Amino acid sequence: MAFTPLPGTRAPVRVWTDPHSIEPQAARQLRNIGALPWVHGVAVMPDVHYGKGATVGSVIAMRQAVSPAAVGVDIGCGMSAVRTSLTAADLPDSLSALRSAIEATIPVGFQQRADAVDPRRVPGLEQAGWVEFWRRFGELDRRVAQLETRAQRQLGTLGGGNHFIEVCLEQGGPDAGQVWLMLHSGSRNIGKELAERHIGVARGLPHNADLPDRDLAVFLAGTPEMAAYRRDLWWAQEYARRNRAVMLALLCAVRRDHFPQVSYGEPISCHHNYVAEESYDGVDLLVTRKGAIRAGRGDLGIIPGSMGTGSYIVRGRGNPDAYCSASHGAGRRMSRAQAKRTYGIEDLRRQTEGVECRKDAGVVDEIPGAYKDITRVMAQQDDLVEVVAHLKQVVCVKG
């Protein structure tokens, strides 16, 4: 579908869904963002919903400025996936042992590793740059210096909330039944700690005193605060990418233990809470994607639904009106608290039938019914991406 402009904003705000369907809180956030003097434009994805600080599903292009709350506290959160040579026929009738093997290999929830990951001991993991990466920890905001050991032990761990690991089957077409491995995670506690410290700094800067929403406080180019944030931001984004790379390599090793003959395609990885330097309309911009992936022409990306509805591998169409972006998933249609009030364990079991996963009260807030219809979300952004593969999970590991 083509975008619809959101009226009454200083900068253009282009919406890839029915503007009337956007919850009032999120619409107010978008209007506040569009009013900021540094904003060049905003693209609103079809999975849009209210978020802390800035709207989830928003792409904000700024001139010489960036809002740390518009990135969010899970800096670099994103997806990774890889296609395997296995098919559905290779999988056992019961997938509980496979789920247990994954949970035994990759810590989930609040768990962390007893010791830091040694990249040399992870088969198939990219080996370059690890020493330099950890050396740069000492250059981060001094207020996180005591968190280095925790950051090392959390690298290669999933976390909780909407983070997940899945084994999926490709749906339809000549490759129907092909097995994919997929995961969703970010920069763990260290990303959150860095984000919250910089958001606090931004709120206290004089040029942010009269903003319509103090959560949208920005750093300005050429200032020491901006330089400090960008230094920590780039590091946290790399932490998130390496975190997913470690988990994907370990996940591949789990499959290889059961199927020594398995081979893997080229992994796909994409952030959906991050900042990038890009140019549009002949202007150099800082583009913040909070709940959105880059979908430049030819870019491969991943758009998940929920723990019972499947996901999509996509290829970007490079639509400049959307700042070459697409949604990061289905997007929530109700808060976690509302989901717990609305649904129970029996609803969860019914909606995740056929999926080997947790079916207890601890994950009711992640029930498929709490999310928007991923099929409709995909239809609303057919001018942003084309579908490469439709996947359906058969195993889902949650924190």
Side-chain angles (χ1 to χ4, degrees):
M1 63 174 282
F3 69 83
T4 302
L6 188 69
T9 59
R10 184 199 59 79
V13 178
R14 307 178 184 113
V15 180
W16 270 262
T17 188
D18 178 3
H20 298 98
S21 70
I22 301 175
E23 58 198 310
Q25 280 182 300
R28 281 194 296 273
Q29 282 185 323
L30 293 170
R31 293 183 190 281
N32 286 337
I33 293 167
L36 297 180
W38 309 279
V39 172
H40 183 78
V42 182
V44 183
M45 301 295 101
D47 60 342
V48 59
H49 60 92
Y50 175 77
K52 181 175 174 55
T55 320
V56 179
S58 62
V59 181
I60 306 170
M62 285 192 179
R63 298 182 300 272
Q64 302 296 304
V66 68
S67 170
V71 180
V73 295
D74 194 357
I75 298 172
C77 186
M79 300 284 302
S80 293
V82 67
R83 190 172 184 265
T84 82
S85 61
L86 302 175
T87 68
D90 296 314
L91 299 179
D93 291 337
S94 173
L95 297 172
S96 60
L98 174 55
R99 177 184 155 205
S100 296
I102 294 170
E103 292 171 338
T105 302
I106 299 174
V108 302
F110 291 107
Q111 298 179 57
Q112 60 185 27
R113 298 185 174 280
D115 298 294
V117 167
D118 183 347
R120 296 167 298 180
R121 296 181 178 273
V122 181
L125 180 65
E126 172 193 358
Q127 296 295 306
W130 283 95
V131 173
E132 171 63 15
F133 169 70
W134 283 116
R135 184 197 66 76
R136 285 169 29 226
F137 188 95
E139 300 172 359
L140 301 179
D141 189 304
R142 59 181 176 77
R143 294 170 294 177
V144 303
Q146 78 281 6
L147 299 176
E148 183 170 9
T149 298
R150 183 175 184 178
Q152 290 175 336
R153 291 178 177 176
Q154 283 195 328
L155 192 129
T157 68
L158 184 66
N162 61 357
H163 293 166
F164 63 79
I165 298 169
E166 291 183 343
V167 178
C168 305
L169 300 180
E170 193 163 338
Q171 305 294 295
D175 297 317
Q178 207 74 37
V179 175
W180 287 72
L181 306 179
M182 178 181 294
L183 60 90
H184 172 212
S185 191
S187 53
R188 306 296 285 109
N189 176 257
I190 188 61
K192 173 180 178 292
E193 294 289 341
L194 287 167
E196 289 179 343
R197 281 158 173 75
H198 286 289
I199 289 170
V201 170
R203 284 177 178 152
L205 296 175
H207 62 261
N208 292 318
D210 297 323
L211 295 182
D213 183 350
R214 291 296 294 276
D215 281 337
L216 294 173
V218 305
F219 293 124
L220 300 180
T223 64
E225 293 86 2
M226 171 70 103
Y229 176 62
R230 292 182 66 169
R231 175 200 64 212
D232 293 358
L233 172 76
W234 302 147
W235 187 89
Q237 289 179 181
E238 184 176 352
Y239 181 100
R241 180 183 66 79
R242 289 182 181 271
N243 181 41
R244 291 195 299 272
V246 168
M247 286 189 286
L248 192 62
L250 292 172
L251 192 56
C252 289
V254 168
R255 303 307 296 127
R256 196 173 283 112
D257 287 344
H258 291 81
F259 300 95
Q261 79 280 11
V262 67
S263 60
Y264 297 100
E266 189 67 24
I268 302 167
S269 183
C270 58
H271 292 322
H272 53 226
N273 283 9
Y274 76 113
V275 179
E277 298 172 335
E278 298 175 7
S279 296
Y280 297 93
D281 306 320
V283 181
D284 292 336
L285 300 166
L286 285 169
V287 178
T288 300
R289 295 181 175 92
K290 182 177 183 179
I293 63 171
R294 177 168 170 82
R297 184 169 296 279
D299 288 345
L300 289 175
I302 308 162
I303 302 178
S306 66
M307 63 187 290
T309 58
S311 304
Y312 291 85
I313 306 298
V314 298
R315 182 178 290 109
R317 297 189 186 276
N319 189 328
D321 290 331
Y323 301 105
C324 295
S325 305
S327 80
H328 82 313
R332 297 192 71 92
R333 70 180 186 91
M334 62 176 67
S335 68
R336 295 184 182 280
Q338 184 182 351
K340 290 178 180 179
R341 291 193 299 266
T342 304
Y343 296 109
I345 294 175
E346 286 306 315
D347 298 306
L348 178 65
R349 288 173 177 165
R350 185 172 58 256
Q351 293 184 28
T352 59
E353 186 176 358
V355 180
E356 173 61 43
C357 64
R358 287 178 58 186
K359 300 177 190 283
D360 57 73
V363 292
V364 166
D365 57 345
E366 281 293 298
I367 191 170
Y371 284 83
K372 296 179 181 180
D373 180 354
I374 185 63
T375 304
R376 177 169 171 76
V377 166
M378 295 304 299
Q380 290 175 321
Q381 56 185 334
D382 59 1
D383 61 333
L384 306 183
V385 293
E386 61 175 316
V387 174
V388 173
H390 176 204
L391 311 180
K392 177 68 173 68
Q393 66 271 78
V394 291
V395 176
C396 178
V397 173
K398 286 247 180 216

